[in-house]
């Protein structure tokens, strides 16, 4: 089992920045591809970003490219999501995910999510 705990959500104005963190425990962190997904009100959960086991490769959904980054620190068992130039359409609950493969398909391990609200 992998336990994931997100933090860092909150309210921010459009154009602002916010950083999310996800701390993992239970298994060897570097064995997992880490990702962020989000679910806006009334919408399905969607892929945001993912980072490979060692952090050398990243992948982003088109709507966040150039604005979001997903670094990871394997020594701290932590993956981050740095969000810049936020837009109201980025408002969602953001979930951390751990997977075995580097794809946009989520793995079986999820955090409980953290709410990000971007005001106009």
């Amino acid at each position: 089992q992998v336990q994931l705990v997100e933090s860092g959500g909150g309210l921010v104005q459009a154009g602002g920045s916010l950083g999310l963190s996800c701390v993992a425990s239970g298994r060897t962190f570097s064995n997992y591809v880490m990702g962020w997904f989000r679910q806006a009100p009334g919408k399905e959960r969607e892929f945001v970003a993912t980072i490979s086991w060692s952090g050398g490769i990243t992948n982003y959904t088109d709507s966040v490219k150039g604005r979001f980054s997903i670094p990871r620190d394997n020594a701290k068992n932590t993956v981050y999501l740095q969000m810049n130039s936020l837009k109201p359409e980025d408002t969602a609950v953001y979930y951390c995910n751990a997977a075995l493969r580097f794809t946009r398909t989520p793995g079986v391990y999820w955090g409980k999510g953290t709410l990000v609200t971007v005001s106009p």
Side-chain angles (χ1 to χ4, degrees):
Q1 291 289 339
V2 177
Q3 291 79 43
L4 303 172
V5 179
E6 303 97 335
S7 62
L11 174 64
V12 63
Q13 287 188 330
S17 298
L18 202 60
L20 306 182
S21 299
C22 170
V23 179
S25 61
R27 294 283 179 88
T28 303
F29 183 66
S30 58
N31 286 348
Y32 293 88
V33 171
M34 299 303 297
W36 288 94
F37 292 74
R38 66 186 180 187
Q39 187 167 16
K43 295 187 177 181
E44 293 186 354
R45 194 173 300 189
E46 65 173 359
F47 166 80
V48 176
T50 188
I51 186 166
S52 61
W53 304 264
S54 63
I57 305 172
T58 56
N59 195 353
Y60 299 90
T61 192
D62 286 347
S63 63
V64 308
K65 283 181 180 177
R67 300 190 297 122
F68 291 12
S69 64
I70 181 174
R72 67 186 291 166
D73 186 338
N74 285 350
K76 295 183 178 179
N77 291 352
T78 302
V79 63
Y80 306 91
L81 187 67
Q82 179 61 42
M83 303 181 290
N84 301 322
S85 302
L86 282 161
K87 304 175 181 180
E89 51 264 43
D90 294 317
T91 294
V93 177
Y94 283 72
Y95 297 91
C96 181
N97 180 266
L100 295 177
R101 296 184 177 184
F102 185 72
T103 70
R104 294 189 174 193
T105 302
V108 298
Y109 300 111
W110 292 96
K112 293 184 178 181
T114 185
L115 177 63
V116 173
T117 303
V118 184
S119 62

